[in-house]
Amino acid sequence: MIRTFVSRPALFRATISPFAVGSRLSAQRKWVSTEAASHEEVQLIRHTGADQGILTLALHRPKAKNALSRSLVSDFRRALEEIRSDREARVVILRSTVPGVFCAGADLKERATMSPSDVERFLYSMKTAFRELESLPQPTIAALDGAALGGGFELSLCCDLRVAGPRAILGLPETSLAIIPGAGGTLRLTRLIGPSQTKALVFTARRFGPIPALSMGIVNDVVESGSEKGVEEHGLGYERALEWAREILPNGPIAVRMAKRSIDHASSVDPTTGLDVEQLCYAQVIPTEDRLEGLRAFKEKRKPVYKGC
């Protein structure tokens, strides 16, 4: 199912079924061919069949290369609110439908028309959106097909995992515009790769491809050009992200969520507090039916079927 979020007086919704049962291919070519898609900026796709439990959150603002405008950020936050309360959602993939770009960062044309107070309000909304993405209870994967620069790169850093396609170009070029990253990039990138590497990238405004990103630990996986057959090159990062999602999908959903919570706290607290948080998260899985199902499946030598309860 596709649910679309657009900035209009009434929320427009379109529902189709682009995912055939058991299909392992992206539905991108199907949803962009629909009439409604030409007006959509944020799409929420619920996969079906064997992939049920995977959600794809797609940016679709082709005329502006998915630049972060006030309307896109507002719609993005509405989609995140729906995902947060969806008990059936187990993994979320963030992707772009626009060839050659993941997200070009802030909409500088729109920014030029804003007053200082408008800029302040917009930045607050954007930072809040990024924090809402980062704090989703479900694991999140950014599929980087094309350019992810400035705010677009910062957006990807809010996801738990990042997968880069062959045409991914990443970077924080703000200092070349006489500003600095303003949506959490200095914090999140420093936590990911350390202060020295972050300073090198920010001070130089350097842009880099998927292989350097992998060597620095910025992305978790890279798809090299031509390594996948029968899929257009723009979607290679997304296809690999789907493979990661399918590895996560069979595992206990409550356990995965609690593991995410524990790991997220581990990087920002002292060891004693971190261990206490881990114990509290562990306590949440003890009374679950899923834990008992895991023990039964192990004893019976079969695959467990977890229901998230």
Side-chain angles (χ1 to χ4, degrees):
M1 181 180 76
I2 292 182
R3 180 163 294 173
T4 62
F5 297 81
V6 293
S7 291
R8 294 191 177 91
L11 178 63
F12 173 83
R13 295 179 179 178
T15 303
I16 62 175
S17 299
F19 291 91
V21 174
S23 173
R24 297 182 66 83
L25 293 179
S26 163
Q28 178 203 1
R29 290 180 292 279
K30 295 183 179 179
W31 82 62
V32 299
S33 67
T34 62
E35 182 178 351
S38 62
H39 305 292
E40 299 159 7
E41 291 187 351
V42 178
Q43 302 170 341
L44 181 57
I45 301 99
R46 286 178 167 81
H47 296 231
T48 60
D51 287 345
Q52 186 171 349
I54 299 175
L55 270 63
T56 293
L57 183 59
L59 305 179
H60 183 73
R61 194 184 177 213
K63 292 183 178 179
K65 298 182 179 180
N66 291 336
L68 297 168
S69 65
R70 281 180 286 196
S71 62
L72 189 146
V73 170
S74 176
D75 298 339
F76 188 72
R77 293 185 64 186
R78 293 164 72 188
L80 292 176
E81 182 179 2
E82 182 166 336
I83 293 171
R84 184 177 299 276
S85 61
D86 188 344
R87 296 180 63 86
E88 301 299 319
R90 297 192 181 189
V91 190
V92 180
I93 301 174
L94 177 62
R95 71 161 305 188
S96 163
T97 67
V98 183
V101 64
F102 172 74
C103 176
D107 188 334
L108 297 181
K109 291 183 180 180
E110 183 183 71
R111 185 75 61 86
T113 68
M114 295 182 185
S115 67
S117 59
D118 288 337
V119 172
E120 185 176 353
R121 284 192 292 270
F122 170 73
L123 289 177
Y124 177 81
S125 179
M126 184 170 68
K127 290 179 181 179
T128 302
F130 283 20
R131 186 69 187 96
E132 289 168 347
L133 171 62
E134 184 177 47
S135 63
L136 281 178
Q138 304 92 345
T140 54
I141 308 170
L144 303 174
D145 285 303
L149 300 171
F153 183 40
E154 291 176 293
L155 177 63
S156 75
L157 293 174
C158 298
C159 291
D160 300 308
L161 306 174
R162 282 155 295 281
V163 177
R167 294 190 178 184
I169 299 294
L170 314 179
L172 294 172
E174 283 86 351
T175 55
S176 67
L177 299 172
I179 57 176
I180 71 169
T186 58
L187 172 68
R188 294 186 177 99
L189 190 58
T190 299
R191 286 182 174 178
L192 190 62
I193 63 174
S196 181
Q197 286 274 40
T198 299
K199 288 175 181 177
L201 296 177
V202 173
F203 293 171
T204 62
R206 184 177 301 162
R207 302 181 183 199
F208 50 93
I211 300 302
L214 182 64
S215 66
M216 287 185 281
I218 294 173
V219 301
N220 301 86
D221 199 358
V222 166
V223 185
E224 297 184 20
S225 182
S227 63
E228 302 281 349
K229 296 181 180 180
V231 180
E232 60 187 71
E233 191 169 82
H234 168 68
L236 292 180
Y238 178 58
E239 293 300 322
R240 184 61 59 84
L242 276 171
E243 293 178 13
W244 278 83
R246 290 171 182 134
E247 282 194 62
I248 297 170
L249 192 59
N251 299 325
I254 298 175
V256 171
R257 291 186 181 205
M258 289 301 103
K260 174 175 177 173
R261 183 178 298 180
S262 181
I263 295 167
D264 284 347
H265 279 84
S267 62
S268 59
V269 299
D270 62 87
T272 299
T273 303
L275 291 172
D276 288 342
V277 171
E278 181 184 72
Q279 187 60 36
L280 289 171
C281 291
Y282 194 96
Q284 299 301 307
V285 303
I286 293 298
T288 64
E289 176 61 29
D290 281 350
R291 184 183 70 87
L292 299 177
E293 164 62 10
L295 294 174
R296 286 193 296 266
F298 179 79
K299 181 179 180 180
E300 297 167 8
K301 298 181 180 180
R302 60 173 175 82
K303 291 183 178 180
V305 179
Y306 296 122
K307 299 181 179 179
C309 59

